[in-house]
Amino acid sequence: DAKTTQPTSMDCAEGRAANLPCNHSTISGNEYVYWYRQIHSQGPQYIIHGLKNNETNEMASLIITEDRKSSTLILPHATLRDTAVYYCIVRVRETSGSRLTFGEGTQLTVNP
Amino acid sequence: NAGVTQTPKFQVLKTGQSMTLQCAQDMNHEYMSWYRQDPGMGLRLIHYSVGAGITDQGEVPNGYNVSRSTTEDFPLRLLSAAPSQTSVYFCASSYFSGTGGQTLHFGNGTRLTVT
């Protein structure tokens, strides 16, 4: 299983870009990188995912390095409501199905 | 659509009691799963299902049973509750493409305390 490494915590000023790194050096060629976040006491929320190319949606951008060994989630204009734990996940494919394995994530605190 | 609905929201059990945590989704998703989250920790996969009649174990399956008789429902059974099972339980569902690209929709959790 490909494992991910994320910093335990990060701070960001409101209105600035938040750049959250993730290392996944053992990722396989057919594994996707997913990002979820969990606001306190709520269920996790999907943000974005990608395979090789950079991706952007209304919530964030995902930058994946050419060798796919690391990625960065970018929140372009962080707000106080973006304070949450952010999980970087590599999809594990099983013969009987598939599963997403969560690590401990990065606690992002957006400060006023 | 209601999305993923979990009941109850809160539950207190005594050691040795059994109970079933309910999870229902109305999005016709093939894939459903159960996670537990202990204080200050990430989510750990308990069991998952890729379709009705098919279930499989995750990282921490001991002490839990699941069944998937319909596409909509995926109940989690605690056979004999232990204090170590005190946790927040999340149910999730998604389409299962089989080729990659799978986004999970989570419920709001069941907070279980075992005394």
Side-chain angles (χ1 to χ4, degrees):
Chain A
D1 295 358
K3 297 182 70 173
T4 62
T5 304
Q6 298 177 253
T8 302
S9 64
M10 295 182 63
D11 286 275
C12 176
E14 187 178 19
R16 304 295 295 269
N19 297 292
L20 291 88
C22 180
N23 288 321
H24 32 79
S25 59
T26 59
I27 192 170
S28 299
N30 63 347
E31 290 178 320
Y32 285 72
V33 179
Y34 290 81
W35 283 85
Y36 285 75
R37 72 180 182 183
Q38 186 176 24
I39 297 170
H40 182 63
S41 298
Q42 297 181 19
Q45 176 190 23
Y46 165 80
I47 302 173
I48 198 168
H49 75 280
L51 183 62
K52 296 180 181 178
N53 300 322
N54 297 336
E55 302 288 344
T56 296
N57 63 20
E58 65 278 4
M59 292 183 67
S61 295
L62 174 61
I63 308 298
I64 303 174
T65 58
E66 192 169 342
D67 63 7
R68 301 187 70 238
K69 292 185 177 182
S70 65
S71 60
T72 301
L73 178 74
I74 301 172
L75 308 178
H77 305 286
T79 70
L80 299 179
R81 288 177 293 181
D82 291 322
T83 291
V85 177
Y86 286 78
Y87 295 98
C88 169
I89 303 158
V90 173
R91 181 176 180 264
V92 177
R93 181 183 290 273
E94 302 282 337
T95 54
S96 61
S98 66
R99 62 189 194 186
L100 289 175
T101 302
F102 288 73
E104 296 187 7
T106 297
Q107 171 66 59
L108 175 69
T109 302
V110 181
N111 300 305
Chain B
N1 288 347
V4 178
T5 303
Q6 291 185 237
T7 56
K9 292 184 179 179
F10 300 93
Q11 182 69 51
V12 178
L13 291 177
K14 293 184 177 180
T15 298
Q17 289 184 314
S18 61
M19 79 159 293
T20 299
L21 281 63
Q22 302 292 342
C23 176
Q25 52 92 8
D26 61 359
M27 298 171 282
N28 202 31
H29 286 166
E30 304 100 322
Y31 180 89
M32 297 186 73
S33 55
W34 278 100
Y35 291 86
R36 62 175 287 175
Q37 185 173 37
D38 299 324
M41 298 181 65
L43 286 83
R44 291 185 292 171
L45 181 66
I46 304 172
H47 285 285
Y48 65 98
S49 169
V50 299
I54 305 170
T55 63
D56 209 342
Q57 296 182 349
E59 304 170 75
V60 288
N62 293 337
Y64 308 94
N65 275 358
V66 292
S67 60
R68 185 91 179 272
S69 57
T70 67
T71 299
E72 295 78 18
D73 300 300
F74 191 44
L76 178 71
R77 298 184 188 85
L78 278 70
L79 308 173
S80 177
S84 61
Q85 293 179 305
T86 293
S87 190
V88 180
Y89 291 83
F90 289 102
C91 179
S93 73
S94 76
Y95 290 109
F96 174 60
S97 69
T99 59
Q102 178 188 22
T103 61
L104 291 173
H105 298 255
F106 281 85
N108 285 325
T110 294
R111 284 147 184 82
L112 175 67
T113 301
V114 182
T115 60

